[in-house]
Amino acid sequence: YKNFISQVVTTMVNYQLAEKMLREKNIIVRRAFFILNLNFILILSLFLLTATVFWEFRITERFIYDYLIILGIVVGIIIARLISLYITGLLFGTMRAITEHIHISFLVNKNLGLIMLPIVFIILYTSDRISEVAIYICAGMLVIATFYKIFRGFQIIIRNGVLIFYAFLYLCTLELLPLVLSSKLIISLR
């Protein structure tokens, strides 16, 4: 798994390796992908919980309930995004590009989960000042990762000859809309 994790990290800058991993579908790769995807979902939810606690924004009175609500929102957004992407791919006949984009997006998420893991533990077990800096670092990494996914999405769209209109539709509905809706949902739960 050590070699596999180093390959996952390398895919952030190496397009050929990312494409090779897309074609590779053996059981070890699938198992490792599942574990890294699960890691991302759990760590992102834990980060969002720590951020809500830090900013004194509580959904309920119990941390476990807050965590489970945030976890449900994160999983819901991921599933809704996947369904939207697949429907878009079917409607516009761009399944190859959509599959490649989903793969790249999940590779970014896997890397983000690996990078955020120690930072979330720093947030949990250090002083308030250090936690504040770590929260802003994680939030910045999430923003950078989103823009990186958008950038890689446009590369995929251009390489596969998809019309610019579809690229704009993709950008508005599948990258930015989930961020806006999830922020609105969290604020409305207050």
Side-chain angles (χ1 to χ4, degrees):
Y1 285 110
K2 180 182 176 186
N3 185 31
F4 177 77
I5 289 177
S6 68
Q7 284 182 346
V8 169
V9 172
T10 306
T11 60
M12 291 292 287
V13 292
N14 187 333
Y15 173 75
Q16 285 79 21
L17 183 58
E19 197 172 274
K20 177 186 170 213
M21 290 186 98
L22 174 61
R23 289 188 305 266
E24 207 172 273
K25 297 292 181 188
N26 65 42
I27 190 70
I28 294 171
V29 170
R30 287 181 185 205
R31 188 176 302 146
F33 272 9
F34 175 77
I35 291 168
L36 290 175
N37 286 330
L38 185 62
N39 174 63
F40 169 72
I41 291 168
L42 296 174
I43 291 298
L44 178 63
S45 300
L46 187 58
F47 164 70
L48 293 173
L49 176 67
T50 59
T52 60
V53 169
F54 181 78
W55 286 311
E56 298 174 2
F57 172 78
R58 300 293 308 275
I59 301 169
T60 67
E61 294 302 315
R62 300 189 46 109
F63 289 112
I64 190 68
Y65 294 148
D66 287 354
Y67 179 74
L68 292 174
I69 289 169
I70 291 169
L71 180 65
I73 291 170
V74 168
V75 169
I77 289 171
I78 290 171
I79 290 171
R81 188 168 178 272
L82 282 173
I83 291 169
S84 300
L85 282 166
Y86 279 118
I87 289 171
T88 303
L90 288 172
L91 289 176
F92 298 117
T94 57
M95 279 309 293
R96 183 176 181 276
I98 293 296
T99 304
E100 187 177 347
H101 174 67
I102 290 170
H103 175 71
I104 295 295
S105 183
F106 274 107
L107 284 174
V108 171
N109 290 349
K110 289 171 185 61
N111 281 295
L112 202 53
L114 290 171
I115 294 167
M116 287 176 66
L117 180 65
I119 298 172
V120 168
F121 283 107
I122 288 171
I123 293 169
L124 293 171
Y125 296 111
T126 59
S127 67
D128 286 346
R129 184 67 188 139
I130 294 172
S131 293
E132 180 181 8
V133 171
I135 285 172
Y136 287 115
I137 288 171
C138 274
M141 287 184 342
L142 287 169
V143 169
I144 290 169
T146 300
F147 283 115
Y148 183 76
K149 287 180 198 179
I150 292 169
F151 172 73
R152 290 291 294 259
F154 275 118
Q155 282 182 328
I156 293 166
I157 286 168
I158 291 169
R159 202 173 32 257
N160 286 294
V162 178
L163 296 175
I164 298 298
F165 171 73
Y166 298 149
F168 179 75
L169 182 68
Y170 149 78
L171 174 65
C172 291
T173 58
L174 301 175
E175 289 296 339
L176 301 177
L177 187 64
L179 293 174
V180 172
L181 290 178
S182 61
S183 340
K184 182 149 178 72
L185 178 65
I186 290 172
I187 290 170
S188 71
L189 291 174
R190 194 168 218 203

